[in-house]
């Protein structure tokens, strides 16, 4: 299933009474394929309720049903949550496997024995056509999914949470150098500061060597080379 197919669906309580509509879905960044942790329900034009995903009892083609007669949720979004609609959808990501920057057209979800996990993102013209309702045209265009484990989020909040989850630690210095070439200098500096010094130094050295490939050739010159 896809994120955009769930957004806007009605949310009802255990008795079928309407609570609101799905505004967004949330995860906590981790290695692998993270599970959904919360659902954001728009209960009125100016009010949103944050409900643990564990309270969702069922999903069908038109609505989500909660387990409770009265939903128990918060009005504020916890700081450690990544919102898939706000922080991923239509935002740029770096594909570590394909070594490219791409814009997310949709987020792929998968039911894993009752736990719904984020398994990847979709990019390319096909997913855009599908979202516009042009399903026949979308089927003719190439779909280009990226596994979630190969995604580095380039949005400000996504980048910060990706670093906190230490997902970049599995990248090689060459991969890190490529990633540095696609990030603004301030986010590149944050990335380097979170790496072990020898790896950060090698990534920076390679980024400078390959800088002719990237716009802003010397934009990392002010970043202090980490000590081994």
């Amino acid at each position: 299933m896809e994120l955009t197919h769930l957004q806007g669906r009605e949310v009802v309580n255990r008795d079928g009474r309407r609570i609101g509509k799905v505004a967004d879905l949330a995860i906590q960044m981790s290695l692998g394929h993270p599970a959904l942790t919360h659902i954001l329900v728009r209960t009125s034009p100016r009010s949103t309720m944050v409900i643990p995903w564990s309270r969702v009892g069922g999903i069908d083609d038109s609505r989500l049903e909660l387990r409770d007669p009265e939903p128990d949720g918060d009005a504020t979004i916890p700081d450690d949550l990544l919102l898939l609609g706000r922080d991923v959808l239509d935002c740029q990501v770096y594909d570590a496997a394909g070594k490219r920057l791409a814009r997310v057209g949709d987020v792929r979800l998968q039911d894993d024995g009752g736990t719904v996990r984020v398994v990847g993102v979709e990019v390319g013209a096909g997913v855009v056509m599908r979202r516009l309702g042009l399903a026949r045209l979308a089927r003719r265009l190439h779909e280009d999914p990226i596994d979630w484990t190969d995604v580095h989020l380039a949005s400000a909040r996504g980048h910060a949470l990706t670093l906190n989850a230490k997902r970049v630690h599995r990248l090689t210095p060459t991969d890190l150098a490529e990633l540095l070439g696609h990030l603004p200098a301030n986010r590149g500096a944050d990335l380097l500061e979170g790496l072990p010094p020898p790896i950060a130094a090698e990534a920076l050295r390679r980024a400078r060597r390959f800088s002719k490939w990237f716009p802003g050739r010397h934009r990392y010159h002010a970043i202090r080379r980490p000590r081994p």
Side-chain angles (χ1 to χ4, degrees):
M1 78 186 87
E2 289 79 26
L3 170 66
T4 57
H5 288 170
L6 292 179
Q7 286 180 314
R9 287 194 189 183
E10 284 202 342
V11 179
V12 300
N13 69 357
R14 187 177 62 189
D15 303 321
R17 180 173 62 83
R18 183 182 184 277
I19 303 299
K21 290 188 175 183
V22 177
D24 212 335
L25 301 174
I27 62 171
Q28 289 181 322
M29 287 295 290
S30 63
L31 300 176
H33 300 110
L36 295 182
T37 58
H38 293 78
I39 176 175
L40 275 67
V41 180
R42 183 76 64 188
T43 55
S44 71
R46 297 185 178 181
S47 180
T48 301
M49 181 181 295
V50 184
I51 300 173
W53 182 259
S54 60
R55 307 317 305 160
V56 176
I59 305 173
D60 61 28
D61 292 338
S62 61
R63 66 184 192 177
L64 278 72
E65 181 179 321
L66 302 179
R67 301 178 187 274
D68 309 301
E70 292 297 332
D72 182 17
D74 298 320
T76 58
I77 302 170
D79 292 337
D80 61 343
L81 292 186
L82 179 82
L83 301 187
L84 298 178
R86 184 191 68 186
D87 303 322
V88 181
L89 189 65
D90 296 322
C91 295
Q92 285 190 322
V93 298
Y94 176 71
D95 173 10
K99 294 180 173 52
R100 56 175 177 160
L101 205 62
R103 188 171 298 277
V104 175
D106 216 333
V107 180
R108 286 190 172 184
L109 308 170
Q110 182 174 300
D111 190 337
D112 180 19
T115 299
V116 179
R117 298 187 179 278
V118 179
V119 295
V121 299
E122 295 179 355
V123 302
V127 64
V128 175
M129 294 297 102
R130 190 184 71 210
R131 287 176 61 184
L132 292 174
L134 305 174
R136 182 175 298 178
L137 178 59
R139 286 194 291 269
R140 299 177 184 176
L141 298 173
H142 176 63
E143 287 193 6
D144 198 2
I146 305 172
D147 192 281
W148 185 255
T149 58
D150 292 325
V151 168
H152 180 94
L153 303 174
S155 65
R157 180 167 178 76
H159 172 73
L161 292 178
T162 299
L163 295 184
N164 288 342
K166 301 187 183 303
R167 288 166 57 95
V168 297
H169 285 212
R170 64 184 178 81
L171 299 179
T172 66
T174 300
D175 291 334
L176 291 167
E178 295 262 6
L179 175 55
L180 286 171
H182 292 290
L183 293 175
N186 61 327
R187 294 180 195 170
D190 291 339
L191 185 153
L192 290 171
E193 289 176 2
L195 294 171
I199 295 177
E202 179 62 16
L204 183 56
R205 183 182 68 81
R206 297 191 183 201
R208 284 172 171 165
R209 186 201 307 172
F210 302 149
S211 62
K212 63 182 180 181
W213 297 349
F214 308 128
R217 179 169 181 175
H218 299 297
R219 56 187 176 154
Y220 291 106
H221 72 278
I223 299 176
R224 180 176 298 175
R225 182 185 179 95
R227 292 182 178 178

